[in-house]
Amino acid sequence: MTDHGHSPASTVDVAPTSQESSPDKLAWRRFLKNPVAVIGVLALLITVLASVLAPVISPYPPNAIDLGNVRQPPSADHLLGTDSTGRDVFSRLLAGGQISLMVGFLAALMAVAIGTLAGVVAGWFGGIVDGIISRIIDIMLSVPAVLVIIVLAGVIGPSVPMLVVVIAGLAWPTPARIARGVVLSLREEEFVQAARALGSRTGFIIFRHLVPGVLPPIVVSATLLVAEAVLLESSLSFLGAGVQPPESSWGNMLNEAQSLTVLSSMPWLWVPAGLMIAVTVLSAMAVGDGVRDAIDPRKNN
Amino acid sequence: MLRSLLPRLLSSVAVFLLIAIGLFTLVRLAPGDPIDMMVPPELAGAPRDAYIASVRERFGLDQPIVVQFWRWLGGLMTGDLGFSYTTGRPVGELLAGRLGPTALLMGSALFIGLVIAVPAGVIAAVRRNTIADYTISSVSVLAIAVPSFFLGMLAIYTFAVKLQVLPSSGMHSTGRDDLGDLLLHMIMPVGLLALANAANFIRYVRSGVLEELEKDYVRTIIAKGGTRTRALRHALRNSLMSLITVLAMTIPIALSGAVVLEQIFSWPGMGQLAIDALGNRDYPVLIGFGLYIAVLVLICNLIADLSYTIIDPRVRTAR
């Protein structure tokens, strides 16, 4: 990462040996000392691993219908029971995790890429460019993604790629605003002024000096965006505007459990999926907060 | 002030027109023909084609696309949003009919959300890094992370199924339309939406108050022998001012929350209308809903700008 923009080493937990006190290492050590963040990382890792390995560990194909075994409570055969068409809930939960996490990570990655570029450009060039980009950011920040996607899904049909693109297309203003703010202050720093005076090209300055400086706060924003995107995807799939059956996602598993009979007497059909969403979102948020505290310890105290 | 507002107003109108053109194009590019779904299944062959032609004519779908756009845009200006494909009723009327329940749900949830968030946020800021702060912040993080539809299902399970103290859906019980019955139906959806709103606002209030408390004038008050309460009163006033802007900006986002909760609690609002239209591929209703969101977002942005100018005299004179 970078060797600027960090606060001086805090004296509390650091041995003043030159090897160990690089800002990155310090941040990493502060992060490991934050129990909530570490639990978040572990929970997220387990979820990601379970989803990636889903084809291997799923006891049944997630879409395999078994009409002889409908709405069975959890048992040794079916760890989390079966749904209204006899599909194994545990297998569907793993498959759903795959889609939910993929949408979350891809959308956050795209949003961060667009947002960083837009923010850096706005902050660096200023003037009309900044005016236009900032105005767009202002308006986009209050655009309700759920509602836009409902309209789009109704008109062009719901699909996973559409979900990723639209979530990213609506989420980039948050990282953009952060990147813009950092660049506005970096622009005045001496090393940037020096690069300019030496005749470095704009592209070089942006990618060599500005983007690395912007990265730490952007990483924080990215983890929070993953949480947001997972929540969005599950809400949309719940409403029927996201992942479509028979493909499973955590959101549409809850959608299929909306009847009062399922709600009252078959909790295995909806509680696990709801818990998975909550745990994943909470973990991503905890990681984001942990990274923020680790790279900028002043903010916390 | 008017001079600073006029360009913003004009740019809002331009953005709205762009969105309108975008939505119109989208519908024409959409795959599938919703007319197919309107044909009575017993029709076949020539009578079927004739029926389809008559429907096309009724909705003006036999005209060239440019003509269709002009008609549509002209209609928009007079508040005519076309007719629902499924019910045949005017879209404007359908939307207007659903406005009341949604406004009731959102309005009361925003109000209750604020009533919870302001004191909670102030306490969290003043008692920073204490048990009180951690508790308030944790609850607000939980309320954001746990999806409202899951909370809604848990609430229905607890209060409607197990305890049987609250109705699980709708606005009224059959045959009743008194206030008490309505209030009983409102408790769960309004409560959950208020919780979601409060969770959001608490973070703004907390960070806003913290920011103000670190400013020079607060130190000056304390240095001159003023009490903490007195300092807080000044800080509070300044930080809550910016909350008005945040409030205006989050209203469209809060509508998303309302749509999800309407779906769980069968609340007869705009969200349900939109979700039904999604299922039925009812384009005119979806487009009407889209335009409504666009107007809402643009108006809320204008209000945010305006409130900024009115509240903060420095912004007013600077322009």
Side-chain angles (χ1 to χ4, degrees):
Chain A
M1 274 205 272
T2 74
D3 49 0
H4 51 75
H6 288 298
S7 63
S10 83
T11 47
V12 188
D13 55 341
V14 179
T17 49
S18 60
Q19 270 269 300
E20 288 194 55
S21 44
S22 89
D24 290 350
K25 277 198 176 139
L26 282 179
W28 183 233
R29 277 166 56 176
R30 272 194 297 267
F31 185 84
L32 288 181
K33 280 192 177 167
N34 181 343
V36 181
V38 172
I39 292 174
V41 168
L42 289 180
L44 215 53
L45 271 180
I46 293 172
T47 321
V48 170
L49 223 63
S51 307
V52 172
L53 296 177
V56 187
I57 45 181
S58 287
Y60 300 86
N63 297 336
I65 292 173
D66 177 5
L67 292 176
N69 266 317
V70 166
R71 295 185 173 181
Q72 293 297 311
S75 63
D77 277 350
H78 296 278
L79 278 180
L80 292 173
T82 61
D83 72 1
S84 312
T85 49
R87 297 174 295 193
D88 181 54
V89 174
F90 180 61
S91 304
R92 288 185 73 69
L93 201 64
L94 290 173
Q98 256 181 339
I99 290 195
S100 297
L101 289 173
M102 192 186 71
V103 170
F105 282 107
L106 279 183
L109 207 66
M110 274 177 69
V112 164
I114 304 172
T116 307
L117 202 63
V120 169
V121 166
W124 179 254
F125 290 105
I128 298 180
V129 180
D130 184 27
I132 293 174
I133 294 181
S134 295
R135 184 76 187 131
I136 296 176
I137 291 177
D138 276 353
I139 293 183
M140 299 274 289
L141 277 176
S142 61
V143 172
V146 171
L147 307 183
V148 172
I149 295 175
I150 288 175
V151 173
L152 286 177
V155 178
I156 57 178
S159 74
V160 173
M162 190 269 281
L163 217 55
V164 172
V165 171
V166 180
I167 292 179
L170 292 174
W172 66 264
T174 315
R177 206 166 52 161
I178 295 169
R180 177 179 172 272
V182 175
V183 169
L184 279 182
S185 64
L186 275 187
R187 197 164 65 164
E188 309 304 324
E189 295 269 342
E190 274 144 9
F191 69 93
V192 177
Q193 298 286 337
R196 249 177 142 172
L198 288 170
S200 303
R201 264 174 295 155
T202 310
F204 179 82
I205 297 180
I206 287 182
F207 285 103
R208 183 71 182 82
H209 292 302
L210 299 183
V211 171
V214 162
L215 274 182
I218 288 293
V219 169
V220 175
S221 156
T223 37
L224 297 178
L225 279 179
V226 171
E228 213 171 286
V230 169
L231 257 184
L232 261 177
E233 180 278 325
S234 65
S235 302
L236 285 160
S237 298
F238 172 78
L239 292 172
V243 178
Q244 299 295 301
E247 231 54 67
S248 76
S249 101
W250 293 337
N252 74 20
M253 288 175 81
L254 282 157
N255 178 318
E256 287 163 22
Q258 273 192 86
S259 76
L260 271 182
T261 22
V262 173
L263 252 182
S264 55
S265 54
M266 288 157 225
W268 64 89
L269 279 182
W270 58 278
V271 174
L275 284 180
M276 282 317 293
I277 301 170
V279 167
T280 307
V281 174
L282 270 177
S283 317
M285 285 169 73
V287 174
D289 284 348
V291 175
R292 173 171 38 213
D293 292 346
I295 59 178
D296 192 358
R298 284 167 303 179
K299 277 245 171 81
N300 204 25
N301 297 308
Chain B
M1 195 170 76
L2 197 68
R3 212 185 316 150
S4 74
L5 201 66
L6 201 64
R8 302 229 149 194
L9 200 64
L10 285 177
S11 75
S12 299
V13 172
V15 171
F16 177 77
L17 273 179
L18 277 177
I19 294 171
I21 293 172
L23 282 172
F24 185 83
T25 321
L26 206 66
V27 170
R28 305 301 131 157
L29 291 176
D33 192 344
I35 307 283
D36 283 343
M37 298 202 308
M38 304 177 61
V39 185
E42 66 269 18
L43 289 182
R48 186 171 192 274
D49 294 341
Y51 185 87
I52 290 180
S54 76
V55 174
R56 286 195 174 283
E57 206 183 309
R58 176 144 53 98
F59 290 123
L61 295 174
D62 53 344
Q63 302 286 327
I65 194 134
V66 184
V67 177
Q68 285 187 40
F69 181 70
W70 271 117
R71 273 195 188 176
W72 181 73
L73 199 64
L76 277 190
M77 297 304 140
T78 56
D80 175 12
L81 293 164
F83 296 87
S84 159
Y85 284 160
T86 39
T87 62
R89 291 179 54 204
V91 172
E93 200 182 295
L94 283 173
L95 284 172
R98 301 298 188 102
L99 194 61
T102 297
L104 178 67
L105 179 63
M106 274 186 65
S108 32
L110 276 176
F111 177 73
I112 297 173
L114 273 181
V115 168
I116 300 171
V118 172
V122 171
I123 292 173
V126 174
R127 305 233 176 284
R128 180 162 55 143
N129 293 341
T130 63
I131 299 279
D133 179 20
Y134 294 142
T135 312
I136 290 169
S137 298
S138 308
V139 171
S140 99
V141 166
L142 265 179
I144 291 172
V146 184
S148 60
F149 50 90
F150 185 50
L151 283 181
M153 290 166 89
L154 286 173
I156 292 177
Y157 179 79
T158 314
F159 297 108
V161 177
K162 289 290 154 192
L163 302 176
Q164 308 212 328
V165 287
L166 292 173
S168 67
S169 67
M171 259 177 99
H172 300 284
S173 314
T174 30
R176 287 184 62 178
D177 60 350
D178 54 300
L179 187 65
D181 185 51
L182 174 65
L183 286 176
L184 217 55
H185 281 83
M186 280 172 67
I187 292 178
M188 278 200 286
V190 171
L192 287 171
L193 192 55
L195 181 70
N197 289 339
N200 226 342
F201 293 149
I202 283 176
R203 303 163 123 200
Y204 289 113
V205 175
R206 181 179 181 274
S207 63
V209 172
L210 275 182
E211 199 180 304
E212 287 298 322
L213 282 180
E214 276 169 11
K215 289 201 172 155
D216 288 344
Y217 71 86
V218 172
R219 200 182 325 148
T220 311
I221 295 173
I222 303 287
K224 288 176 81 175
T227 57
R228 267 177 69 85
T229 332
R230 193 185 164 80
L232 187 63
R233 208 169 58 219
H234 285 272
L236 208 59
R237 216 179 116 90
N238 285 334
S239 59
L240 292 189
M241 288 299 176
S242 61
L243 188 66
I244 296 177
T245 314
V246 171
L247 193 66
M249 296 281 285
T250 42
I251 284 179
I253 309 272
L255 184 63
S256 309
V259 168
V260 175
L261 286 165
E262 279 179 11
Q263 182 65 7
I264 305 161
F265 292 100
S266 314
W267 190 263
M270 304 188 79
Q272 274 227 314
L273 185 74
I275 299 298
D276 288 346
L278 164 74
N280 296 324
R281 288 285 174 113
D282 195 339
Y283 298 157
V285 175
L286 286 166
I287 298 304
F289 186 64
L291 287 171
Y292 170 80
I293 302 164
V295 172
L296 188 71
V297 167
L298 293 174
I299 288 181
C300 287
N301 264 284
L302 279 177
I303 292 176
D305 285 342
L306 192 63
S307 68
Y308 216 66
T309 330
I310 293 176
I311 292 165
D312 193 337
R314 286 168 303 184
V315 176
R316 205 183 310 150
T317 46
R319 283 185 184 167

